[in-house]
Amino acid sequence: MKRKITLKQIARELDVSISTVSKALRNSKEISEDTRQKVQAFAKLYNYRPNNIALSLKNRKTKTIGIIIPEIVHHFFSKVIRGIELVANKRGYNVIVGLSNESFDKEVINMEMLANGSIDGFILSISKETLLQQDYHHFYETINQGMPIVMFDRVVNEVNCDKVIVDDLKGSKKAVEQLIANGCKNIAIITTKDYVSVGRLRTQGYLEALEENKMEPQSELILKIVEELDSEDHLEDLEAEIEQLLVNNKKIDGVFAVNELYALTAMKVARRLKKKIPEQLQVIGFTDGVLSKHATPSLTTVSQHAEEMGKKAAELLINKLENEDEEEYFETHIIETEIIKRESTK
Amino acid sequence: MKRKITLKQIARELDVSISTVSKALRNSKEISEDTRQKVQAFAKLYNYRPNNIALSLKNRKTKTIGIIIPEIVHHFFSKVIRGIELVANKRGYNVIVGLSNESFDKEVINMEMLANGSIDGFILSISKETLLQQDYHHFYETINQGMPIVMFDRVVNEVNCDKVIVDDLKGSKKAVEQLIANGCKNIAIITTKDYVSVGRLRTQGYLEALEENKMEPQSELILKIVEELDSEDHLEDLEAEIEQLLVNNKKIDGVFAVNELYALTAMKVARRLKKKIPEQLQVIGFTDGVLSKHATPSLTTVSQHAEEMGKKAAELLINKLENEDEEEYFETHIIETEIIKRESTK
């Protein structure tokens, strides 16, 4: 049996990136004519086909769901997986997890590998790099060949598939409204760069809440963290940025942070600056993390209901897998957020 | 192409457990003659073979490592996976994760599925149920057919393969010695039932430290938690057990807990009982968890160096994969533990 060549192998053989191969195969103008020809010739020579999904699908059901997540050291994603597992196990499915590590290449490699006969469908959350590059061909190809995808949390409108999201905008709005109701006059937001859809939406919720309450947004109170600081290994740099925000703007009396790490770091910095929480500074995070509950003071958060999200994603996928002859119809299920009040707010 | 039948399918077809099928195929006396005959006949009819490893191994390298862990919502395991990934990526390997959920059946299913051509070798930590049943046939079969396994953390002596462990006994001993050096006279241990090797060894370290310091072990100070309470969903029951320990033994001035959950719960209960930490009660945990660092007071722990453990496991596996013609030789690598002093001890 002749082996199929993969994107990864083409890339290695020609010493270019997977992204380049992918674009060259789609004749993207971003890639030089020379490289495009080289890649296309090579792919033809080795009989490259996007993947083997169509083949395997006709012959068998694996009763396995492939999950692709950006990161494993992350309570939110683990909780989603637990939710997926609960439903999957109940309905006789097994799950297997691939990690993109926020990398486009790894996302493509993992999908290619799993789609190659190991699984019946995907549940995934898109990597930051993919969102930044806006290259979604691997999703299109997978779906076009009949393998269903359900996206959760980090999704894109461009791709037509079932999605499970939290209402990031409304959730953030609720959080900021809570701070306003608690008497905060100068509310800062600690958020991500805009290309992470979740961060963008949460920032938007913050702005809408201010606007509807006739409070002028102040650009110096909006701190957008670069993704590089977004890990446990760069805590000190993150602390420095947040410290600057709080030192340069002593009037800040409320902080809305779009994730747990930012929120807890803000509390830590505030403690160092002798700002009393919640008396002088109130903090709300956006997360289901364990740290929030155990922190001192414990953190008021917008709960994302991660486990519920996973359950819903599994239901959507398995329903699709078991009702193949139905009309094509895609659903975007919105999980309602909820504010869990703890000690970091009045 | 005729499909291979799996253990899971045989079990479903005959309406017995996977464990029963597995034992029946090995002619175990635990299984009735009748069932053994039925299973064996069925397996023969459908041409069951333990799995397809041998076949796939000859033909290809997947450059993928299969990881099987008992639990995903667990910082220790995520950190190990991160360590595995770091080394795997550097050496051109991908990783894929299967979850046993502490279940023997799921461990077998996942290994069977992944071994079926998706991966080159396994890195795994054994499920509690497997340890309890002491049924290791799936490991033997995998190894016998030439697919290497590296076990980490929860390992068994019976299986001949590379292993990476922390020195649980020595680590616990160090922790208890620290409590003794800090003046504790009545040290309790909160541990697991003995069939979890890690718990057993840590209990032994506790006993040795007491003995060498001429302190009489007191059975009422040894609390062995049943596994059912070992999850976030049963926090209240766990709290009740620990509260009883502390209330019934007011003399306790030191607690050594074999994991983070037990340690933090002990601190929580102590706070509720108005015991001052570390003045009246000193606590040491055994973990690399994030909660320890962020808890108030922050928790003194025995660090397991989870990431290093993952790195070492990946090195051992990839070395084995890339040096096939070498003599068979198995290594047990011991990761040294280290006490990280924080605020929960004097």
Side-chain angles (χ1 to χ4, degrees), chain B residues 131-266:
Chain B
L131 291 169
L132 191 59
Q133 297 187 4
Q134 307 191 328
D135 181 349
Y136 308 128
H137 80 279
H138 48 310
F139 304 135
Y140 296 131
E141 279 169 8
T142 306
I143 294 167
N144 285 341
Q145 287 173 81
M147 181 168 278
I149 291 180
V150 177
M151 294 185 174
F152 71 89
D153 195 46
R154 299 207 207 137
V155 307
V156 283
N157 288 331
E158 292 92 317
V159 182
N160 238 331
C161 64
D162 286 325
K163 289 160 199 164
V164 185
I165 52 174
V166 289
D167 195 339
D168 288 293
L169 198 155
K170 218 164 114 190
S172 305
K173 215 170 143 179
K174 272 196 268 189
V176 177
E177 281 166 354
Q178 181 72 59
L179 289 172
I180 295 171
N182 289 359
C184 295
K185 303 286 179 219
N186 292 287
I187 301 170
I189 181 171
I190 307 174
T191 183
T192 64
K193 294 280 175 193
D194 279 343
Y195 65 84
V196 179
S197 53
V198 163
R200 189 180 59 241
L201 287 168
R202 292 179 189 169
T203 308
Q204 203 179 324
Y206 161 83
L207 293 172
E208 285 188 13
L210 292 185
E211 201 173 321
E212 287 179 18
N213 284 278
K214 314 243 180 311
M215 291 167 79
E216 196 67 39
Q218 305 167 61
S219 62
E220 68 273 21
L221 299 191
I222 300 175
L223 175 60
K224 294 187 181 175
I225 304 287
V226 294
E227 63 182 319
E228 285 71 26
L229 302 189
D230 210 7
S231 95
E232 252 185 72
D233 308 330
H234 293 88
L235 277 185
E236 282 175 27
D237 298 332
L238 180 64
E239 282 174 25
E241 288 226 29
I242 294 176
E243 182 158 347
Q244 232 173 9
L245 171 76
L246 294 180
V247 167
N248 293 347
N249 303 280
K250 294 219 163 47
K251 60 188 176 185
I252 293 174
D253 51 7
V255 167
F256 170 56
V258 302
N259 62 40
E260 183 172 57
L261 180 67
Y262 297 172
L264 292 173
T265 309

Side-chain angles (χ1 to χ4, degrees), chain B residues 74 76 153 166 168 198 202 258 286-289 301-309 335-338:
Chain B
H74 200 305
F76 169 71
D153 195 46
V166 289
D168 288 293
V198 163
R202 292 179 189 169
V258 302
F286 204 125
T287 179
D288 274 327
T301 64
V302 183
S303 164
Q304 300 164 279
H305 299 298
E307 194 171 302
E308 199 193 321
M309 200 168 210
I335 305 272
E336 281 284 320
T337 57
E338 179 192 359

Side-chain angles (χ1 to χ4, degrees), chain B residues 37 164 281:
Chain B
Q37 283 183 357
V164 185
L281 184 73

Side-chain angles (χ1 to χ4, degrees), chain A residues 253 276-283 297 342-346:
Chain A
D253 52 6
K276 275 193 192 151
I277 298 172
E279 294 80 1
Q280 297 166 296
L281 184 73
Q282 300 184 56
V283 182
R342 298 205 185 89
E343 301 161 356
S344 67
T345 49
K346 281 181 197 166

Side-chain angles (χ1 to χ4, degrees), chain A residues 64 72-73 75 78 81-82 85 89 94-97 99 101 106 109-110 113-114 118 232 290-291 296, chain B residues 64 72-73 75 78 81-82 85 89 94 96-97 99 101 106 109-110 113-114 118 232 290-291 296:
Chain A
T64 300
I72 192 127
V73 190
H75 197 71
S78 344
I81 292 177
R82 186 189 272 180
E85 275 229 299
N89 289 342
N94 197 21
V95 306
I96 195 153
V97 185
L99 309 168
N101 273 341
K106 287 213 68 186
I109 291 172
N110 270 295
M113 176 180 64
L114 287 178
S118 299
E232 251 186 73
V290 277
L291 289 175
T296 314
Chain B
T64 300
I72 193 126
V73 190
H75 197 72
S78 342
I81 292 176
R82 186 190 271 179
E85 275 227 299
N89 290 342
N94 197 21
I96 195 155
V97 185
L99 308 168
N101 273 342
K106 287 214 70 187
I109 291 171
N110 271 295
M113 177 182 62
L114 287 177
S118 300
E232 252 185 72
V290 278
L291 289 175
T296 312

